[in-house]
Amino acid sequence: MWFSIVCEDINNSLALRQQARPAHLARLEDLKQAGRLLVAGPNPAIAANDPGEAGFTGSIIIAEFDSAEDAQAWADADPYLAAGVYAQVKVKPFKKVLP
């Protein structure tokens, strides 16, 4: 089943994001290579693809997992969480309807 992982950053998370980004992206690439990643990306703090120093306010990941427990375990092991980037992470089942 698909699960959405919605993450909220702490304030001024940009430096922490930059440090943990390679490890974070490597895990997403693993999901992609396994055909289990629907979409992933950050929420810019301003309406711009490159928000510069404004940074980001969170991230959204939609990926396939065998169970809610597996999705939660994957989210709990995110390098951004370990680095203190995320203040909060919510994992919920997701039903893809469109497109």
Side-chain angles (χ1 to χ4, degrees), residues 43-84:
N43 302 112
I46 60 173
N49 284 330
D50 181 0
E53 292 299 313
F56 301 91
T57 61
S59 300
I60 298 171
I61 300 162
I62 300 176
E64 190 172 29
F65 295 93
D66 290 333
S67 68
E69 293 79 17
D70 288 348
Q72 187 67 57
W74 188 91
D76 288 345
D78 194 300
Y80 278 175
L81 189 60

Side-chain angles (χ1 to χ4, degrees), residues 1-8 59 61-65 67-78 81 86 88-94:
M1 170 157 214
W2 295 108
F3 289 87
S4 65
I5 302 170
V6 179
C7 312
E8 296 290 330
S59 300
I61 300 162
I62 300 176
E64 190 172 29
F65 295 93
S67 68
E69 293 79 17
D70 288 348
Q72 187 67 57
W74 188 91
D76 288 345
D78 194 300
L81 189 60
Y86 295 149
Q88 182 176 344
V89 176
K90 291 184 180 180
V91 176
K92 295 181 180 183
F94 178 81

